[in-house]
Every structure is written in C-alpha cells, then in structure tokens.
Amino acid sequence: MIDLKFLQNNFDLVSQKLQKKGVDSAVIERLGEEFASLKAINAKLEAAQADQNQMSKLFGQYKKEGKDVAELKSKVDANKELIAGYQEESRSAEDALYTIALSIPNLPDDDVPHGEDEHDNIELRRVLEPRRFDFIPKEHWELAEMNGWIDFERGVKLAKSRFSVLKGQAARLERALINFFLDQNAKRGFEELCVPFINNEAMLQGTGQLPKFGDDLFKIEDENLYLIPTAEVPLTNLYHDEILSESDLPVLMTGYTPCFRKEAGSAGRDTRGMIRQHQFDKVEMVAIAHPDKSDEVFDMMVENASDILTALGLPHRVVRLCDGDLGFSAATTIDLEVWLPGQNQYREISSISNTRDFQARRAKIRFKEDKKNRLVHTLNGSALAVGRTLIAIMENYQNVDGIIEIPEVLKPYMR
RNA sequence: CGGGAGAUGGUAGAGCGGUUGAAUACACCGGUCUUGAAAACCGGCGAAGGUAACACUUCCGGGGGUUCGAAUCCCCCUCUCCCGGCCA
C-alpha cells in the first residue's frame, strides 16, 4: 500500500508516477479525499469516546457518594447514540478507503526508466556468448519428446491443460537444479526454509496478490485458503504483523516451492511446451532489509541469480524494467532473461524486485529503530525458475542427435 | 472427525464489572557500584492511531451482545494443549 500521508502532501508527484501504472488521477484524488474524511470522522468519534469515558468515571464516583445519577445517565445515553452513529460512519469510510488503497499499485522509483511495456525495458548487459550451432537447434518440446523427458498428454489427463509430467533424467535434473539453487543461495547467506504451499487470504493481501488479482489464484473450495503463486508470499509474510529488531536485518530467506497460477489472460500464449504452466517449481530469494540498505541487498540478489546462470553456462541478459512493465508491488525490478537457441530469443527466467515499504505496510512488517517502529523494505527474486532453467539447459546443451549434455556443476547433483 | 481444558505484555503468571493498559517474577535496556564482569541497589520497559510535543482514542485470540462502565458476564468463530478415531 502506498503511504497515504505522503500522498496528502505530494498529490501531483504521486498522481504523475501512478499514471504510468495505469491509475487515473481521479482515483488518486478520491483516495486522498477518503483518507481525509476517515481522519475527520475518527477525530469526532474519538472526542465523543473521550466524553463517554469521562462520564462513566463520574458515574462510578456518584454511585459511591450516593449522588443522583439520573441526569448524568440521560447525558451518557445521548452521547452513546452519537458514538454509535460515528462508528458506523467511520467504518464505512474505512471500507471505502481500503477498497481503493489496496488496489493502488506501488510507486516506481525515481530512476526507473519510462516506457509503455516490455519493449521499452533497458538491457543493462549480456553475460556469456550464445553458443554457435552447426545445425538448427531444436525447441525444448521436441527435445523432450526425443528423450522421453516430458509427458505433456498425461499431465493434461491427470489435471488439465498446462500441466505436464517430467520423467526419468528430466525429473532427476529438476531435483538436481532445486538442490543446486538452494546451495548457491545458502552460500550468499540465505537461510533455507520449507514453508506451507497454501496460504490464507491475509497473507496474499500482504504481498499484494489480493484483492486485485484473485483471478490468477487457485482457491481452496470452502476455505479461506489459496495455493501460493510464488514462495514470495509465505517467505515475506513469515514476519507478517511482527516487529523485528534492527540487528535482525537483513533477514535473507530462500525456499523451494511449487507455484500455482491460473494464468488468466494468458490464453494462447506459450501454450506449447513447458514455458507457461499452471504448476511450476521455483527457488525464491526473499529479503527483509533495513530501508536505508535495501539497494545493496537488491544488487546482491541480482548478482547471485546471474552468477547461478553463469555457473550453469547459460547465456543471459540483465534487463531493467521500465515503469510501464513493473508489477503491482514493485518499485524497481530487474529481470534476467536466458538465451533459448531453439526459440532464438531471450526469455525471462528470473525477476528481482524491491517493493520498498509497499508490502511491509500491507503486511505490517516493522523493526525497532531507537524505540520507534519503522517499516522494513521487502525484496524478492527468483534464483531461479526451475522449469525454465531445465528448458534452457535442454536447448543450450543439445547436440545434433538431440542428446542433452549435463552442465558440469550439476553432475555432482545427478549422482 | 468425537470428548475435555485453555487463549492476558518478550516469556512465565495474577486479575471482586468501576483511576487495571493491566499485579508479580524472569528476560531486556539505562544508571550506581566494580580495573572489567557478576551480584546488589535505583530507574525504565507492549502495540496502533494521533500530536511539534502533550492531550486523547483503540487493543487482554477474533467478531458480536449485556451494561453508564467489560480482561472480568453471555453468544459465535479461530487457534492451542490433552484423550480417542484416521493417517504420511
């Protein structure tokens, strides 16, 4: 959630920044008004409550002294009705405010480049030269079929479209990658966690998936629970509504989880192969950082993910997202895109974001700084998307017969 | 899923319906003492909103009710613990 006090004092700035994220300035104006009217009604309510408390104390005193309370009681009764009315007003003002506030995306950082969509993203650098093939490299689904690695049809039979089954060496490679990623993250100081794959509504609101993006989530029937779309949800919310001590920061966490996404609105995109599935494996990094030091942590996370790709010998590029392409919660994002020779293009394999205090405000994650509580910064990034790494290995390590070599660093993990 | 018990500040643990936002102990922080530490003694010590700072408001698992007044009484929900069933 954005800082409403900041909004009050910097309307033009906020409004202009959110324009890029597709928010109409009229909505921002509404938001400011709702905030102001909530504060106004709460002031009235609190004054009336103060009166009530005073009179109740008097009441007790009168009783003790044997005085007549009839007049006082009628005053108290009248005030009570006043309070009930204010309470109702306050409640509806609050509803109105949060209905809007929770659906407003984060403000982009000042140094985020301007742009409409992914075409305006800025390539920062390329790492590793793509290999030159003396034959036409195949796409991963073709390789999968030749090697008997992926059973798309039976995945569909078991669940529905966009589900698949990994077999034999591919299943083993998937597991090897998970272990490799977790080990690499541990070397950077990320503590490994194994968390619930189902989270409740409050957690999904904390990280920003709800209330706005419920259509992308698998909900458990008759329960207030959802399959997680990313480990960012449980890892970040581990400290939901908690106050950390300054010395705890930064908290660096990593975890493997499957991720479940409905992919609503992705009809027809990447329907072939394993690029876009309803269920996929991912190893995630999450950091809870001191607000003055989150930039350092962010750089480290980007470096870590890039280094893992390099260790696997996978060519990739580092891309800075423009404001038009930023996700809902992100203030700044860097994507890593891996080279897929079969597709002859770079495809996203990791996305690393600093949400600043946006998620922290929603999830109430704070730390003590000189007796005062201050919101932390939360960061998240993939290191890495496992299925897409598997695809990248298949396409980059194929030979002319369709045989796929195992990257050197993974061999110990395949034994 | 069935039977019983419970939910209070970082932890432990009190709390007749009326200066109880909450005794007490431990932990923690500051100070005195000490070469330093420990001990002892003194002081401080929950959160949110609000304020320049006060004031003030709210919070004793969550929600609702009774009352002038609820941590204390009533109802619902959630969670935890113990016993049984099922089970990796």
Side-chain angles (χ1 to χ4, degrees), chain A residues 242-249 288-292 360 364-377:
Chain A
E242 291 195 26
I243 298 163
L244 299 159
S245 69
E246 192 166 357
S247 60
D248 292 334
L249 304 178
I288 298 193
H290 190 290
D292 300 338
K364 302 192 188 77
I365 307 172
R366 297 144 293 172
F367 73 101
K368 273 260 187 268
E369 187 181 58
D370 315 319
K371 306 277 179 191
K372 290 284 238 178
N373 294 327
R374 191 173 165 194
L375 293 168
V376 298
H377 280 188

Side-chain angles (χ1 to χ4, degrees), chain A residues 308-340:
Chain A
I308 293 174
L309 284 170
T310 305
L312 288 167
L314 293 173
H316 57 283
R317 61 177 189 172
V318 182
V319 174
R320 184 98 206 261
L321 296 202
C322 70
D323 49 14
D325 199 29
L326 279 184
F328 181 76
S329 296
T332 187
T333 297
I334 281 183
D335 275 4
L336 300 186
E337 297 180 348
V338 70
W339 175 249
L340 295 182

Side-chain angles (χ1 to χ4, degrees), chain A residues 45 61 80 117 160-161 235 253 256 258 295 364 376 394:
Chain A
L45 171 64
Q61 220 172 336
K80 212 172 151 186
D117 52 32
K160 58 183 275 188
S161 66
L235 290 179
M253 295 172 278
Y256 151 73
D295 288 324
K364 302 192 188 77
V376 298
M394 290 167 75

